[in-house]
Amino acid sequence: MSQISQLKAMDAGTRRREARTVIASSYLGSTIEYYDFLLYATAAAVVFPKVFFSGMDEWVGVVAAYGTFAAGYVARPLGGIIFGHFGDRLGRKGMLIVSMLVMGIASTLIGLVPGASVAGPWGAVMLVVLRVCQGIAVGGEWGGAALMALEHSESGKRGFAASFVNAGAPTGAVLGTLVMGAFAALPNDQFLAWGWRVPFLLSFVLLGIGMFVRLKVSESPIFKAAIEAEAAANNPSQSSAAARREIPLLHVLRRPKTLIFTMLAGAAGFALQVVLATFSVTYAVSKGADRQGVLYAFAAASFVSIAFVIMGGRLSDKLGRRPVMIGGLVLFILYLTPMFQLLSSNNIGLIFVAFAVGLMIHSTLFGPLAAFVSEQFGTTSRYTGASLGYQLATLLGAGFTPGIVAQIFKDSGQDTAAVVWYLAIMSVVSIVFILLTREPKNNDLQTVGSQPVSQALPSN
């Protein structure tokens, strides 16, 4: 029996059980990957300037440490290309296993890198190399996890299923903040000497758990069916068309409109997300709030937002991806001014409200985003197209926005109105490109080949 026939004949209960297993695996894998990736952000702020750049001026060390942090974002599109290529040729499951191995090993090794007092500048060099490995791994992880959840799910539940992958980001952030915060309670000399390393070394334990779960899931049935159908269409006597297929990246770049539109449609969401995690924290502290209190307020708000990410994905299954995402962006534009007023209150309770409301609104955009991006591409180029579009949106939105916003704030005489205008304009740009992109909610994911689904099918 062919893969297509097996997919159609599979018992509904069996498909639902398999889908739940895959969604749980994608959520757990995404949580572990983002625990590792975002744990680095905390360490770059509170540890690395003192451990790896101790011979520099304090603020020069901070800038240098954040430079190593940025290396991970630069590497993410590269990870999307590498893992997307092999994921579209060999399968989703294998690439997810490799990406988790790379992330787990790189994060564990970060916990073993000797400081400047032992290795001199080579410690920082090793840090950058391992950070690039983290970026490549997370760049490949997202696409595979999103596609596995998406391609195992029923058509009316794809937004809900894929949203669990994005829910892994705040879950990983909360987990990393709590673990690093626990060890930060050590005396400062012990924390800098060895305490900060333990959360990274724990990555090896998480790697074992993640691998155990991930090895149990099956390959995407839609991908297997697409490969079989393509092989039969191209050469009935050939068992596989993998060797004859064009490079998936070239398939995607041949129609760059879809890639560019998805990148610009998602960029504002990442900009708003990173402003909440970076500039907003700094702004609240600059107004007199306790730094640790602000960080824990953000962690608590991130925990609350997990459920709203999933709700956003579910809502998009009913209303469509575009209306929910546009609604989230419009609400965020309206909320920017009162958000900064709450952040400047020097009251941890109000600061928590500022973060919580902001992240809840953002979740209506972030929840449907995984499905929105992934549904734009045909099956045999979907891993590459979705990964590259999503990671370029991350680079454009999250990679450059913190520095731009900080500079705007400084040049405007520390007036948040200028920051609000910048973020509002960026949000409007994303709204325009969401409107220019066809609604993908009801697209047929079993469309085979390189042509983007949004162009291959009529608008819904």
Side-chain angles (χ1 to χ4, degrees), residues 84-281:
H85 172 83
F86 291 104
D88 282 326
R89 286 193 166 225
L90 305 178
R92 304 359 181 166
K93 178 180 175 179
M95 293 305 101
L96 282 174
I97 292 171
V98 174
S99 71
M100 181 171 282
L101 276 172
V102 172
M103 176 62 87
I105 292 171
S107 299
T108 302
L109 290 176
I110 286 173
L112 299 174
V113 173
S117 61
V118 175
W122 289 107
V125 172
M126 287 185 276
L127 202 63
V128 171
V129 172
L130 293 172
R131 180 59 176 172
V132 169
C133 290
Q134 279 193 323
I136 291 173
V138 82
E141 163 72 22
W142 180 87
L147 266 56
M148 284 287 278
L150 201 76
E151 293 177 348
H152 275 85
S153 301
E154 301 172 29
S155 61
K157 299 179 179 179
R158 296 198 305 245
F160 174 73
S163 68
F164 279 86
V165 178
N166 278 3
T171 308
V174 171
L175 184 61
T177 300
L178 293 177
V179 173
M180 186 65 83
F183 284 93
L186 290 167
N188 193 55
D189 57 338
Q190 294 183 37
F191 176 64
L192 293 177
W194 61 268
W196 70 270
R197 298 180 182 273
V198 178
F200 285 99
L201 297 177
L202 287 175
S203 298
F204 196 75
V205 177
L206 295 177
L207 172 63
I209 297 171
M211 290 295 291
F212 176 78
V213 174
R214 187 151 280 179
L215 285 168
K216 289 182 174 294
V217 302
S218 62
E219 179 59 86
S220 162
I222 287 178
F223 174 78
K224 290 190 292 185
I227 295 302
E228 182 185 81
E230 189 179 68
N234 289 349
N235 188 347
S237 65
Q238 187 171 314
S239 61
S240 174
R244 296 171 57 89
R245 278 189 280 133
E246 191 178 357
I247 296 173
L249 178 62
L250 296 181
H251 286 179
V252 174
L253 295 180
R254 193 187 303 136
R255 297 178 178 86
K257 176 182 173 181
T258 302
L259 182 65
I260 294 170
F261 278 26
T262 53
M263 174 184 71
L264 293 173
F270 291 109
L272 298 172
Q273 182 185 51
V274 79
V275 164
L276 283 166
T278 57
F279 176 78
S280 297
V281 171

